[in-house]
Amino acid sequence: MTANGRTKDDALNVLAQRSRDNSRTPMQWDASPNAGFTSGTPWLGLTDNYRSINAESEENDPDSILNYYRKLVALRKEYPVISDGAVKFLDTGNEKVIAYERTLDGQRLVVICSFSGNDETITGLDAKGEVLIGNYSGSHKIMKPYEAIVMLSR
């Protein structure tokens, strides 16, 4: 950019606006200095929460996002219907809640997701079965804020 007549400050300003580094931080591995990322000085700043939000604390929390994703990966490996089943969207009677089913070899998997920050009622959806994973427990006729649930019917 400087070869095209921009000043060094202009070039840095353009890079700062387009760089993804503004939204990045070093990987927060643990609560140790520099979040366990390096024994040196990281080129990007750390967030203030690395002592409480890090891979080590997620590893030890059975309800963490890390362990939720591990459960999702395990389910995908255990149930071929998740990746290979035919997809059909279902009517929830609520535009803020989507649902779909996947079917394969006599298995029916139903996924219901609320995209609302409020409790949302669903109607006309016959979703019964074994709950494989969800981020809340309880009734599935009233979805809690941002609730997601996966049920399996055989």
Side-chain angles (χ1 to χ4, degrees):
M1 282 188 265
T2 55
N4 293 331
R6 292 199 182 242
T7 67
K8 182 179 176 183
D9 287 342
D10 286 343
L12 287 174
N13 186 37
V14 168
L15 290 174
Q17 291 177 14
R18 293 193 171 104
S19 172
R20 293 181 291 173
D21 284 351
N22 295 325
S23 63
R24 294 180 177 177
T25 65
M27 179 63 187
Q28 297 176 192
W29 291 108
D30 57 34
S32 68
N34 295 322
F37 180 76
T38 182
S39 59
T41 302
W43 65 96
L44 297 171
L46 296 162
T47 60
D48 294 334
N49 64 4
Y50 77 87
R51 288 177 190 84
S52 59
I53 299 176
N54 57 63
E56 182 178 60
S57 67
E58 291 272 310
E59 181 77 38
N60 297 320
D61 179 359
D63 295 324
S64 70
I65 292 173
L66 173 64
N67 285 309
Y68 191 84
Y69 273 87
R70 284 181 172 156
K71 291 173 192 173
L72 288 172
V73 170
L75 287 171
R76 183 177 170 90
K77 290 178 179 180
E78 183 177 352
Y79 297 99
V81 67
I82 292 173
S83 57
D84 298 331
V87 178
K88 176 184 169 189
F89 282 89
L90 306 171
D91 184 10
T92 65
N94 187 324
E95 65 182 23
K96 295 178 182 178
V97 179
I98 66 165
Y100 64 92
E101 70 178 7
R102 295 199 76 142
T103 54
L104 179 72
D105 298 333
Q107 287 188 329
R108 178 178 183 245
L109 185 89
V110 176
V111 178
I112 310 169
C113 301
S114 172
F115 291 90
S116 170
N118 301 307
D119 286 353
E120 296 292 337
T121 302
I122 57 176
T123 59
L125 181 64
D126 182 27
K128 296 176 184 167
E130 171 191 359
V131 175
L132 297 180
I133 194 165
N135 57 340
Y136 289 99
S137 61
S139 168
H140 308 300
K141 291 294 181 186
I142 298 178
M143 300 290 287
K144 293 181 176 65
Y146 307 107
E147 182 174 7
I149 185 166
V150 178
M151 291 179 282
L152 179 70
S153 301
R154 298 192 192 267

